[in-house]
């Protein structure tokens, strides 16, 4: 059960067509790439080539 609801403007926004678009913040909170070719994918996934273009370095918690 997810106890942390997603927040508009932080985790997602609505595009001009009315679709929900998830932000980079949301993807990093989720913690993994879903390989759907998301617009704000912080993992650098390229759906056309099924490869990752960049490496994500998560900040260490202090």
């Amino acid at each position: 059960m997810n106890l942390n609801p997603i927040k508009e403007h932080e985790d997602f926004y609505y595009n001009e067509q009315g679709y929900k678009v998830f932000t980079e913040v949301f993807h990093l909170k989720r913690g993994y790439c879903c390989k759907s070719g998301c617009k704000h994918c912080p993992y650098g996934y390229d759906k056309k080539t099924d490869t990752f273009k960049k490496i994500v370095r998560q900040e260490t918690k202090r």
Side-chain angles (χ1 to χ4, degrees), residues 2-58:
N2 186 358
L3 300 177
N4 298 318
I6 60 174
K7 299 174 187 170
E8 188 172 359
H9 305 296
E10 180 181 330
D11 296 315
F12 73 95
Y13 62 89
Y14 291 100
N15 68 10
E16 292 177 359
Q17 294 78 27
Y19 291 102
K20 192 179 286 185
V21 180
F22 291 104
T23 65
E24 183 176 358
V25 170
F26 172 81
H27 293 295
L28 290 172
K29 284 181 186 178
R30 185 175 58 193
Y32 65 91
C33 179
C34 63
K35 293 188 173 182
S36 294
C38 300
K39 181 175 183 174
H40 300 291
C41 179
Y43 303 102
Y45 181 72
D46 184 341
K47 191 172 182 175
K48 292 178 185 176
T49 62
D50 193 26
T51 60
F52 291 90
K53 292 184 177 182
K54 61 183 175 181
I55 297 172
V56 175
R57 294 183 184 172
Q58 294 183 352

